[in-house]
């Protein structure tokens, strides 16, 4: 059994795309199981950089089938735009399969996302405004439209018209917005449906058959553990389950099929959007990390908030995901700091706690307890073995292993595929 989950242990943007692309060279099937085009996964190959949102990050590997699973909220407009961009660059998208059970994101979801954020004022979540939350709301409320119904014109049109009418009421009466043009939307989405049809499949069955024939399946997480609807810093979270459990539902396989859970972890911490962030460095240190790590959102271009690595968070992530190893990313970004800090505990009400609190009020009052380690000045680019890393970089990695109790199986020292040090084989 060789099913590997790759997921984010922090607040997203840990470098999942890079690792998926790297591991996809050996995979037969790559599956996205949650989220939507709120994700922005970067893959760098030589001088080419790709930003993937809905298309799985295995797309550059000609061998792999790339599945958009049932747990994903699927935006046809975003997808077709992304596919267009890839095809123009010579990337084949023939391997893409879209689940017939995935829910469809429509323009009214995006509009309600925008209006709801506006209405929250200072309490805004800082969403990507891609309509993710409103689409999952419809799914849970049992009023969503699934891909299988979207591509069936007889089922789709009446269903869609009914939904637009309902959503227009919400847009106009609750938010004071402008009603959306139903006729134009119906016509446009019928055209999109025709274009989507060839990609649609029963992907749960496809993944199951792949597993039965001993194929290698790679499950690609979007977002990160601290953005999980249950385990994240609620309500500053996304509306899906980016944790390992989310994959069994989101891709349609049993939990016993999963053998390895790789926790993609930045060598420091970032977050986009609002919410408490214990190790945040809203100062020169944070600015320096932001510039060195080019910490600006792949999807929205927003500057990411930056801070030190937090092992209270990583240990929590280890527990709720059943992590089996860590891939430590962007280590090169820390080059040049005289000393590096790692948060090993939270001080709360004069006591040290090492479990991640549920209450945001409590979290906001937690003070980080830091351990300081010496930094290094050597450029890490081009280093291709762990032994060749500067002593203090190795010490930093080994200290993380000790604090988290997991092997750091991959160390990443640059955005390119080649800038990857694999210490233990993942498959
Ligand atoms: P994802 O959402 O988890 O796939 O991560 P993003 O792609 O949004 O953000 C990670 C950023 O870091 C991207 O710009 C990557 O190209 C880049 N990146 C990934 N690994 C490394 C690394 O080891 N070093 C550096 N400098 N950049 C990296
Ligand atoms: P990848 O896959 C980082 C954040 C948003 C916001 C919150 C809710 O690239 O790691 P949403 O639009 O999902 O309702 O927004 O979640 N967020 C991400 N942050 N990386 C992502 O994806 C994210 N996807 C959503 O900034 O705080
Ligand atoms: Mg990202």
């Amino acid at each position: 059994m060789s099913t590997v989950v790759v997921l984010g242990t922090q607040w997203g943007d840990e470098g999942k795309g890079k690792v998926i692309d790297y591991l996809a060279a050996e995979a037969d099937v790559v599956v996205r199981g949650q989220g939507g085009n709120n994700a922005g996964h970067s893959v760098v190959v030589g001088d080419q950089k790709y930003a993937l949102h809905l298309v799985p990050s295995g797309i550059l590997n000609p061998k792999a089938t790339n599945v958009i699973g049932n747990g994903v909220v699927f935006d046809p407009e975003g997808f077709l735009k992304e596919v267009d961009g890839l095809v123009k660059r010579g990337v084949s998208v023939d391997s893409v399969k879209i689940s017939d059970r995935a829910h469809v994101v429509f323009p009214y979801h995006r509009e309600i996302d925008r209006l709801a954020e506006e209405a929250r004022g200072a309490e805004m979540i800082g969403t990507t405004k891609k309509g993710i939350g409103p689409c999952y709301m419809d799914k849970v409320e049992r009023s969503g439209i699934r891909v299988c119904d979207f591509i069936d014109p007889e089922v789709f049109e009446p269903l869609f018209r009914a939904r637009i009418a309902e959503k227009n009421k919400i847009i106009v009466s609750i938010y004071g917005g402008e009603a959306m043009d139903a006729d134009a939307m119906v016509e446009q989405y019928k055209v999109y449906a025709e274009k989507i049809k060839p990609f649609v499949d029963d992907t749960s069955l496809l993944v199951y058959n792949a597993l039965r024939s001993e194929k290698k399946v790679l499950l690609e997480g979007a977002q990160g553990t601290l953005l999980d609807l249950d385990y994240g810093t609620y309500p500053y979270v996304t509306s899906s389950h980016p944790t390992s459990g989310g994959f069994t539902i989101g891709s349609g396989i049993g939990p016993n099929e999963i053998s390895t859970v790789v926790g993609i972890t930045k060598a420091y911490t970032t977050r986009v959007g609002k919410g408490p962030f214990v190790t945040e460095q809203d100062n020169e240190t944070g600015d320096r990390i932001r510039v060195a790590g080019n910490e600006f959102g792949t999807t929205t271009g927003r500057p990411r908030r930056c801070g030190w690595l937090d092992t209270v968070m990583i240990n929590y992530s280890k527990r709720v995901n059943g992590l089996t190893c860590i891939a430590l990313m962007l280590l090169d970004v820390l080059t040049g700091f005289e000393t590096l800090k790692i948060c090993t505990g939270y001080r709360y009400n004069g006591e040290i706690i090492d479990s991640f609190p549920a209450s945001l009020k409590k979290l906001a009052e937690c003070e980080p307890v830091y351990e300081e380690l010496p930094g290094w000045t050597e450029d890490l680019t081009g280093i291709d073995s762990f032994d060749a890393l500067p002593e203090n970089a190795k010490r930093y990695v080994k200290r993380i292993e000790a604090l988290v109790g997991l092997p750091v199986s991959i160390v990443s020292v640059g955005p390119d595929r080649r800038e990857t040090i694999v210490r233990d084989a993942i498959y």
Side-chain angles (χ1 to χ4, degrees), residues 60-74:
L60 299 177
N61 170 14
K63 194 180 100 201
T65 301
N66 285 276
V67 171
I68 298 174
N70 57 280
V72 170
V73 284
F74 176 79

Side-chain angles (χ1 to χ4, degrees), residues 261-394:
V261 186
V262 186
I264 310 297
T265 305
K266 252 178 196 168
Y268 46 94
T269 312
T270 62
R271 103 170 280 182
V272 261
K274 304 276 186 168
F277 177 170
V278 176
T279 62
E280 181 166 22
Q281 298 298 302
D282 191 10
N283 53 32
E284 249 177 54
T285 300
D287 293 344
R288 195 167 152 187
I289 294 175
R290 186 174 308 107
V291 171
N294 190 26
E295 292 295 356
F296 298 88
T298 313
T299 300
T300 59
R302 288 179 290 177
R304 296 175 182 148
R305 298 159 63 192
C306 299
W308 296 116
L309 184 72
D310 180 348
T311 58
V312 177
M313 180 188 293
I314 309 304
N315 272 307
Y316 174 64
S317 230
K318 171 189 172 185
R319 172 162 68 82
V320 301
N321 288 300
L323 297 185
T324 54
C325 67
I326 297 275
L328 193 68
M329 311 300 291
L330 296 109
L331 188 64
D332 53 301
V333 172
L334 296 182
T335 295
F337 279 95
E338 203 171 314
T339 56
L340 300 169
K341 290 185 182 175
I342 300 179
C343 171
T344 57
Y346 294 166
R347 185 172 290 109
Y348 177 72
N349 260 348
E351 278 183 33
I352 306 292
I353 56 169
D354 59 7
S355 61
F356 200 86
S359 153
L360 290 204
K361 179 167 164 272
K362 186 169 173 183
L363 188 63
E365 287 169 17
C366 285
E367 299 264 333
V369 177
Y370 286 121
E371 199 174 284
E372 281 201 35
L373 278 85
W376 59 89
T377 52
E378 298 89 334
D379 182 9
L380 305 189
T381 321
I383 295 183
D384 58 4
S385 79
F386 186 72
D387 287 341
L389 286 172
E391 278 313 310
N392 285 345
K394 281 192 265 192

